[in-house]
Every structure is written in C-alpha cells, then in structure tokens.
Amino acid sequence: MDVLIFRATVLASIVSLGLAAAPPVEAQDTIGVAVAVISDVKAEQGKDVRQINLQSGVNRNDLVVTGDGSSTQLMFMDETVISIGPNADLLLDDMVYTPGAEGGTFAITVKQGLIRMASGIQSSNAYEIHTPVATIGIRGTEFDVLVEEGGETSVLLHSGSVLVTNGVGGQTLLTEPGTFTSVTGRADPPSEANAAPQALKNMGETLVKPEKGETLQAEWKEAKKAWIEAKKAAKTELRVQKAEARDDQKALREAAKLAKKAGGKTPKLKASAVSEVSAVVGNGGGNGNGNGNGNGGGNGHKNCGKGKGKGNAC
C-alpha cells in the first residue's frame, strides 16, 4: 500500500474515533491509534488493563506493554509513528497538539525493549524521549531506542539527528545515519558516536511492518540473540585490553627497577612502549657489566668512565 494512502487511511480511523473533531488534543485522553497489532498487546493505567487490537485508541498516560513474540505500531494525531518490539514497556507521558499551531508537546518514556520512532509534523522542540538513564532530543528524525536490563540504552539513527544526554551532563549528537551511542548507567555519559553494530541494525529491521500487519518473530529472536552475543564479545575484548594494559604497566615498573639498578638512574619511560624500555635496559645493563676488565662501565651510562678492576665503574 502506498505510504500516503496508508497514512490517510490511518488518520481517517483517528477521525472516526472522534479525535480530530476537538481542536486541541490536550482536551482529549485518546492521542493515537494502533495501526498494526501482533499477538498480545495491552494498555495499562493503574488497575485498568485494556487489550489493544487493530484500530484501538491509545490514551495519554497509557503504559503500552507487548508480550513475548508480540509487537505493535502506533500512529498519533501529529503523524508520529512508533513501532514497538516484543517484551517492551512504553509510557505515553503526554501529547498536546493543535493543528496549525505551535507550542505542542510529545513526551514518551521507553522503560524497556526496542522501539523505532519517526517523528511527526510538530516542531522538533516538541519531542522528548526518556529512558531510565538518558534523554533524547530530536530534529526531524527516525531512530531506534533499545532499553535493556538495568536501563542500559542504545540509540541508533536512521535520519535527521538526535541529541542524547543524561544526568551527569554528558551528551552525544548523532548526525550520520547508521551511527549509534549508548548509555550504560545514570552516572555514565553517552559513548561517542560510532558506526552501529550490524546486530543492532538487524533488531530494528524485524519490527512490525505496518503496511503488511506482520512482524518476523523468528528473525527478531535471532537478531536479539546476535546482539547479546556481540555485546558479550565486546565486553570480553575490553577486559582483555584492560588486562594487557595492566601487564604492560607491570612490565614497565620491572624494567624501571632493572634500569635503575644497572645505571644508577631511572630512565624516562613511555607507558605505551615496553620494547623501548627493554632496549634501554639492554644497552645500559648489558654493556655496563659485560666487559669486566678494562671497559667495565664505559658504555653503561653517559657519566661512567673507564672501569677498573672488575668492571663496576658505575
């Protein structure tokens, strides 16, 4: 189905729910409609739990919950579209939209799971996306947000730009499609913008397809598994690098001790070059004690003269 026809059909559905009749949406509880639903999707407000079906309305302050192997796509009055993957919790915090007017708001909180959001026709300043550890501001954008256990958040840009911030004052601006950033905790700043791992891209591609009304659940599970394995591999590599760095520092300290013992002074060492340290030790200690008779310390240190006796001139 042509995208424009599809959007027109959805907006007509919203009108049929009575949403477009009232001027500002702020006077309404219902702010959008489900345009695709796979399996078990619910909307919760306190003890009130509603099953979400195709063309069901969603309200301000709804917590949209998808079950295992379930997904949905929501379209809002301002034409914002949000696809929600399995095992996700998305809180619809607020929406104020008056057609043709400025000063609206659109705020959501991704508590867990994966979403893909394409912002609507409101001003970019109207949109604010929260996670347990980050805040995302947008500029005419399509992007994915993945929130994992403990709130760890990854943001992948498809178009436009996003600014990712958190409570410690750190921020990362994504402007290149295919780049991502991650925030591991409240006290951690966002990582630098980098090319997104293929495993993360694959997860977003398995979200619900609104024009088809289906999602590829097997591919979703495989993509999620691959993403978890990729993260584990990255963490293992980081641990290896840290261990190697510790070993390098230990080797530097040992080399410094040997150089000091051989030459009487500790040479200036470059923390990244153990081989250079080894060369310093070899030239200072090896030749300094190698010629016991005659030139005992002659080459061992620039302040050493010709040795006498047993070659301990230094």
Side-chain angles (χ1 to χ4, degrees):
M1 181 184 294
D2 182 86
V3 174
L4 292 178
I5 297 175
F6 174 74
R7 282 179 175 263
T9 303
V10 172
L11 290 174
S13 298
I14 298 177
V15 171
S16 70
L17 290 172
L19 300 182
V25 174
E26 59 191 349
Q28 301 290 319
D29 284 333
T30 306
I31 58 177
V33 64
V35 297
V37 178
I38 305 299
S39 193
D40 184 27
V41 182
K42 293 182 173 64
E44 303 177 358
Q45 284 202 38
K47 295 181 179 180
D48 179 27
V49 179
R50 311 187 316 277
Q51 191 72 35
I52 296 296
N53 301 308
L54 186 64
Q55 296 191 351
S56 292
V58 290
N59 304 330
R60 181 187 291 104
N61 294 321
D62 272 350
L63 177 66
V64 180
V65 179
T66 57
D68 187 27
S70 304
S71 57
T72 187
Q73 187 174 77
L74 308 177
M75 187 170 184
F76 298 85
M77 276 291 293
D78 68 345
E79 299 185 30
T80 293
V81 177
I82 300 179
S83 300
I84 309 173
N87 304 115
D89 292 350
L90 174 67
L91 179 62
L92 307 178
D93 294 301
D94 195 15
M95 181 179 177
V96 177
Y97 171 61
T98 303
E102 297 182 357
T105 61
F106 190 104
I108 61 173
T109 299
V110 187
K111 293 179 173 290
Q112 68 173 16
L114 175 68
I115 73 162
R116 174 171 293 182
M117 177 172 170
S119 58
I121 58 177
Q122 294 200 68
S123 167
S124 296
N125 295 331
Y127 297 93
E128 194 167 88
I129 298 87
H130 302 276
T131 79
V133 300
T135 298
I136 304 164
I138 70 171
R139 297 291 183 272
T141 305
E142 183 178 3
F143 59 97
D144 295 349
V145 179
L146 174 64
V147 178
E148 301 177 82
E149 184 177 355
E152 181 176 350
T153 299
S154 298
V155 181
L156 166 61
L157 181 68
H158 295 291
S159 66
S161 64
V162 298
L163 180 65
V164 181
T165 62
N166 73 344
V168 298
Q171 64 179 32
T172 295
L173 178 65
L174 299 179
T175 58
E176 294 293 330
T179 58
F180 91 114
T181 182
S182 61
V183 184
T184 56
R186 291 179 182 275
D188 303 311
S191 64
E192 294 182 357
N194 286 298
Q198 188 61 46
L200 181 59
K201 294 180 180 179
N202 291 345
M203 288 183 69
E205 295 307 312
T206 64
L207 289 172
V208 65
K209 311 299 181 184
E211 64 276 16
K212 297 180 180 179
E214 63 183 23
T215 189
L216 308 176
Q217 295 300 337
E219 284 80 353
W220 161 264
K221 291 181 179 180
E222 287 300 317
K224 184 176 181 181
K225 181 180 178 182
W227 168 245
I228 292 173
E229 290 175 350
K231 285 184 60 181
K232 287 182 178 178
K235 289 180 178 179
T236 299
E237 177 64 21
L238 182 60
R239 285 196 295 269
V240 169
Q241 291 176 358
K242 288 182 177 179
E244 290 176 346
R246 287 194 297 268
D247 290 342
D248 287 349
Q249 291 296 326
K250 182 178 179 181
L252 286 167
R253 289 193 295 270
E254 293 298 324
K257 290 179 182 178
L258 291 173
K260 184 176 181 180
K261 183 177 180 181
K265 294 184 179 180
T266 303
K268 293 182 179 180
L269 303 176
K270 295 182 180 180
S272 61
V274 177
S275 60
E276 293 183 14
V277 174
S278 300
V280 171
V281 174
N283 291 333
N287 293 331
N289 295 316
N291 300 320
N293 296 318
N295 294 323
N299 296 324
H301 192 279
K302 65 181 181 179
N303 294 325
C304 298
K306 291 185 178 180
K308 295 182 180 180
K310 295 184 179 181
N312 292 321
C314 295

